[in-house]
Amino acid sequence: MTPDTSTGSTFHQLCAERGRAFPLLTDRLLLSPFTAEDLHEVWGYWRLPETTHWMSRRYEAPEQLRDRWLSQGSKFTVRRRSDGVLVGDVGARLQDSWAQQEAADHARGTQAELDWTLAPQHQAHGYAREAVRALMELAADLGVRRMHAGCFAENTGSWRLMEALGMRRETSTIRESLHRDLGWRDGVGYAVLAEELPPRH
Ligand SMILES: CC(C)(COP(=O)(O)OP(=O)(O)OC[C@H]1O[C@@H](n2cnc3c(N)ncnc32)[C@H](O)[C@@H]1OP(=O)(O)O)[C@@H](O)C(=O)NCCC(=O)NCCS
């Protein structure tokens, strides 16, 4: 069932409350909460039609993206450790899980909706996999019990990434999602429980 409320805290706020330090380091990457100073580099690939073809929304101007991302408090920039180049972004939106009314307090902020975008020139290097894996581990460390995401069924790069991350296909829908150019399309939904994440290497 789809959650019908959203939690009061953002993922960035949760990180701050728990004293998490950034950047978060992986083998090749640095993850940091998005700030207005990242806007110019992020806009470099978010303004491209090939980036937003399958995305939930495109932005008309960089300021729109900046304002939404800052208020959402969910986005992290992904930079290469070797040279600081921004390769993309990932996000975790904190949500309340669906619950019966009497149990709702215990379901607040217990799941996160994940997202990912790599600049075209930085795809197919395994950066998305590495960055989202780190984000999932961070979310699990902070007590998030379930992570989920969805995409158009034709967005092969996205669902292959989810399968590579050990996420499970839980929904498969027929012409349920309306694409701005292509009309009604099939969709897929994936999820993983924090307890199912493989142990860290
Ligand atoms: C979805 C998206 C993030 C996937 O990016 P990606 O670069 O394909 O994903 P990864 O970084 O994990 O790269 C995986 C590929 O890199 C290759 N690769 C190269 N070096 C690698 C390494 N060291 N480690 C792992 N994989 C590596 C692999 O071949 C792998 O391909 P395969 O497993 O499918 O054969 C990207 O296509 C994108 O940004 N799309 C546009 C935005 C979008 O649609 N977002 C989702 C909306 S729902």
Side-chain angles (χ1 to χ4, degrees), residues 26-29 31 126-135 165:
T26 70
D27 289 346
R28 298 178 294 169
L29 304 169
L31 275 66
Y127 293 147
R129 200 175 299 182
E130 194 170 318
V132 180
R133 163 67 58 212
L135 187 64
L165 287 162

Side-chain angles (χ1 to χ4, degrees), residues 28 50-51 54-55 116-119 122-130 150-152 155 157-158 160-161:
R28 298 178 294 169
E50 63 261 44
T51 296
W54 296 117
M55 307 292 274
W116 37 76
T117 308
L118 284 201
H122 298 301
Q123 293 180 13
H125 295 284
Y127 293 147
R129 200 175 299 182
E130 194 170 318
C151 68
F152 286 102
N155 190 353
S158 203
R160 282 188 65 152
L161 172 66

